[in-house]
Amino acid sequence: RKEVEQDPGPFNVPEGATVAFNCTYSNSASQSFFWYRQDCRKEPKLLMSVYSSGNEDGRFTAQLNRASQYISLLIRDSKLSDSATYLCVVNKANAGNNRKLIWGLGTSLAVNP
Amino acid sequence: SQTIHQWPATLVQPVGSPLSLECTVEGTSNPNLYWYRQAAGRGLQLLFYSVGIGQISSEVPQNLSASRPQDRQFILSSKKLLLSDSGFYLCAWSIGAGVYGYTFGSGTRLTVV
């Protein structure tokens, strides 16, 4: 099982739609969680951190379910500019207790006019 | 504010030639620094990370090396490039082990011909 798994998509949605991505992680000791956005041929950029209580930033809502070991990202009122790949990222401790980020392969979103 | 600079943006090099990619960070001290590679259509692969001057950890055996001659400078090198070294190379920095995530440079797209 991969340490961080995402549905690669692509998700094709019309403008204004609501879309949700899920991501599962395998290490129950993981402590920090993030969603990154990567545009084609660009660097990944932090979209939002994911907190235990869930958090919202405008049209974006992130949720964490520790018991089931998954995180989610909800995008409301999709815009054309939301088209990108969304990367799920988990920070975990390795055997030497050094923390590192584990990256999912990403979910591709295309918002259509 | 902190900024990260990475250059060049694109590079085409013949097989067997040397490589040197440079990354510098401004506005912070003692950052953790990272080199990632993203092959076409694939996920982010951590190549090296550094927690301080002269301290380099290699994640995977390969044809590349890294050095950190100054606190905010991170260099990726190769003595002889292989075709398989082609990819999108990204430098990143974090506060500590990345509890707040990583910030990436704009990347170098390397094509080995």
Side-chain angles (χ1 to χ4, degrees):
Chain A
R1 181 184 176 187
K2 292 180 182 176
E3 293 185 274
V4 177
E5 289 199 78
Q6 299 181 248
D7 181 345
F11 284 64
N12 286 285
V13 303
E15 274 187 288
T18 295
V19 61
F21 308 136
N22 285 332
C23 165
T24 58
Y25 60 95
S26 61
N27 190 318
S28 59
S30 300
Q31 294 188 351
S32 305
F33 308 88
F34 311 92
W35 283 103
Y36 274 71
R37 169 195 171 127
Q38 186 173 23
D39 292 289
C40 186
R41 301 178 71 81
K42 298 287 188 180
E43 75 275 21
K45 293 184 178 179
L46 180 63
L47 179 64
M48 57 198 307
S49 301
V50 187
Y51 303 126
S52 297
S53 56
N55 47 300
E56 185 174 310
D57 182 2
R59 297 182 293 108
F60 299 85
T61 300
Q63 297 278 355
L64 167 64
N65 185 318
R66 285 191 183 274
S68 300
Q69 293 182 207
Y70 78 82
I71 66 174
S72 64
L73 178 67
L74 181 76
I75 305 175
R76 291 181 298 279
D77 188 24
S78 299
K79 312 292 185 188
L80 295 176
S81 57
D82 293 334
S83 298
T85 297
Y86 291 84
L87 303 171
C88 171
V89 191
V90 174
N91 183 316
K92 70 151 198 176
N94 61 18
N97 206 33
N98 295 311
R99 307 202 70 80
K100 59 188 277 187
L101 293 188
I102 308 298
W103 297 78
L105 296 181
T107 297
S108 176
L109 171 66
V111 181
N112 305 304
Chain B
S1 63
Q2 301 90 357
T3 56
I4 178 168
H5 303 280
Q6 192 180 339
W7 67 94
T10 59
L11 195 57
V12 180
Q13 292 284 98
V15 168
S17 63
L19 173 73
S20 181
L21 302 181
E22 188 165 342
C23 171
T24 60
V25 181
E26 295 178 359
T28 187
S29 295
N30 197 32
N32 279 17
L33 296 172
Y34 310 86
W35 278 112
Y36 278 87
R37 177 172 59 204
Q38 189 174 37
R42 302 185 67 179
L44 287 164
Q45 179 186 32
L46 179 62
L47 302 175
F48 301 95
Y49 69 93
S50 172
V51 299
I53 296 174
Q55 299 179 63
I56 309 294
S57 296
S58 174
E59 285 292 300
V60 293
Q62 59 207 311
N63 186 40
L64 302 167
S65 62
S67 62
R68 185 169 177 176
Q70 300 180 45
D71 180 46
R72 289 171 287 178
Q73 183 184 28
F74 204 23
I75 298 171
L76 183 70
S77 304
S78 174
K79 292 182 179 178
K80 289 185 177 182
L81 284 169
L82 305 172
L83 287 174
S84 57
D85 292 325
S86 294
F88 190 37
Y89 288 83
L90 291 155
C91 180
W93 75 274
S94 69
I95 297 171
V99 175
Y100 304 105
Y102 297 173
T103 300
F104 286 88
S106 55
T108 296
R109 196 160 299 278
L110 171 66
T111 303
V112 183
V113 296

